[in-house]
Amino acid sequence: MSGVEIGTAAIVALIGLIWIGMPIGVGMLLVSFAGVAAIRNEGVALRMAGAVANDALREYLFAVVPLFVLMGLLVTISGVGKDTFDVFQQALRRLRAGLGVATVFANAVFAAITGVSIASASVFSRVAVPEMTRHGYTKTFATGVVAGSSVLGMLIPPSLLMIVYAVLAEESVGRMFLAGILPGLLLAGVFSVTIFLLATFRPGFVFSGGADTATDERLGAGRIVAKSVPIVVLVVLVLGGLYGGFLNPTEAGAVGALGALVIALARRSLSPSGFWRLLVETGQITVAVLFLIMAATFFSRMLAMSGLPAALADVLLSGPLGPYGFLIVFLLVVILLGCIIDSISIMLILLPIALPVVQAAGFDLVWFGVLTVVAVEIGLLTPPFGLSVYTIKSAMNDPDLSVGDIFRGALPFVVAMVLTLGVLIAFPAIATWLAYL
């Protein structure tokens, strides 16, 4: 067999192993080892496996993963998410469907602190949905808003997916974080416009009685300030330090984790046993992510050795598809895979194949990374996988609320994300302007 045939067989084998239930990291290691052994020999495969384990994880940068994960977990238990929602609810109470818009922007701010979509979905399903239904919003719409806006956690920095992409593409994490700001704000704006249009032209979908029945309790200036201070402090510490040039991404994660710990202790929401559980959970998440990155690095090197990515670049870019045809096909594949597997797995499988083609096409890797993250996040809202949807269903624990209801509520936001993806393709500067400023 030629190298290209071995690389193709490895991809087919990996998909088959995932399909039968093997963990993706283990499957990647097995397929990569077998692929290198078939191209060269078992000795080379063993040496490459050892080199990958050393090279892939020794970087100082990888300390950013446990730090941002710990910060997100601390913020979640300290009640900052509810405070964020309360502040935006007060600010937007006079706007039509204002609670929906408040949920979107509260999620955007919460994303700038945690960087994990599932955390946002879990927190706001408990905070925003009961408040929205109390004010006459339908459960379908309320859960759809939470599901839709939760994806902002992987676009607005700091973002775990951006870190994974930066590692795989050998790009700067700080540059990827900067690239996510304007697209994240654009998506939040498109979501808000979507909510306003639904409330205007489809009020029966938004309000159970056809109208907003909200009678909000006004918060005093002192309470608003008290709720806002922790949010502002964390955002300034993390993003201000990062973009002001005072901190690198790892130092920003450390400062953010310390700030979140101080807030949780000050609010007495963290017991010694609870803190230990958070540390254990942080370790479990970190090990899982780093193991996947190591496996993806091995898989990428095996594919490069096979010559498959270079052959694909020649075929795709010189054929009738062309560079933008390849881009559209890639994004469609990402969205389709999002229906069956999780976000990080999609990136780990596809990027080692796609990145050499992207470089041959002359596309900007930062812009391509933003497009990839948006397309991957669409998968969080689409059946049958829809991880954000199932997270909300689990968090709500409401027997009268079906998974289908949440998917229907999220559908307008899927459409909004596809439209946003089109805008980002047409105007790449939205993603690249801040990154190269």
Side-chain angles (χ1 to χ4, degrees), residues 151 154-155 159 161-162 165 176 334 347 368-378 417:
V151 304
M154 286 303 185
L155 193 56
S159 160
L161 278 189
M162 289 291 196
Y165 177 85
M176 289 307 305
V334 170
M347 295 178 69
F368 181 76
V370 172
L371 295 181
T372 301
V373 170
V374 174
V376 163
E377 288 295 279
I378 292 175
M417 292 183 74

Side-chain angles (χ1 to χ4, degrees), residues 313 315-331 357-358 360-363 367-368 425:
V315 171
L316 293 173
L317 300 181
S318 62
L321 275 179
Y324 281 92
F326 157 75
L327 178 63
I328 298 301
V329 170
F330 171 79
L331 294 176
V357 183
V358 172
F363 289 141
W367 170 68
F368 181 76
I425 292 172

Side-chain angles (χ1 to χ4, degrees), residues 65 69 73 160 280-290:
V65 177
V69 170
L73 294 174
L160 190 57
V280 171
E281 187 175 355
T282 299
Q284 291 170 339
I285 295 172
T286 301
V287 168
V289 171
L290 295 183

